[in-house]
Amino acid sequence: YRTVAVYGMKEMGVLLCNKLRYEGIDVRYAIDKNADEINADIEIVKPTSEMSEVDVIIVTAIHYFNSIYMELHELTEAEIVSIEDVLWSI
């Protein structure tokens, strides 16, 4: 993957963004339902907003992955994966 978006900007999402950027991966933006309330050094959009295309969206909210997947796959052609899948593939 060359371009990434991260869904969920609680602790896990912030850590993931930081680690991916540290490793030189192009994290374009984050997605969070509470985007207006989050102060971060990355663009954060709501899942209902128009999103620029990325190769993959990594969802950090693993317990809600199925519903998030259903919501996002209608809005983007990006691959949508759970952080759980990313961790198991290491």
Side-chain angles (χ1 to χ4, degrees):
Y1 303 118
R2 294 181 182 196
T3 56
V4 176
V6 173
Y7 188 107
M9 285 304 286
K10 293 208 179 211
E11 295 85 3
M12 183 64 68
V14 172
L15 288 171
L16 179 62
C17 283
N18 290 339
K19 180 63 174 168
L20 291 173
R21 290 158 113 188
Y22 178 80
E23 296 295 332
I25 296 176
D26 184 8
V27 181
R28 296 266 170 99
Y29 56 91
I31 307 163
D32 198 288
K33 290 183 178 184
N34 300 312
D36 297 334
E37 301 168 16
I38 299 170
N39 184 15
D41 64 348
I42 188 169
E43 177 186 8
I44 303 174
V45 299
K46 291 186 177 190
T48 55
S49 301
E50 187 172 320
M51 296 176 267
S52 61
E53 283 300 317
V54 292
D55 296 327
V56 65
I57 298 173
I58 302 172
V59 177
T60 63
I62 59 175
H63 297 307
Y64 303 102
F65 177 76
N66 290 336
S67 61
I68 292 168
Y69 177 89
M70 296 304 289
E71 179 180 15
L72 291 178
H73 97 278
E74 298 290 330
L75 303 172
T76 182
E77 293 185 21
E79 187 170 348
I80 303 165
V81 299
S82 169
I83 191 168
E84 190 173 44
D85 295 330
V86 172
L87 294 174
W88 284 111
S89 69
I90 295 177

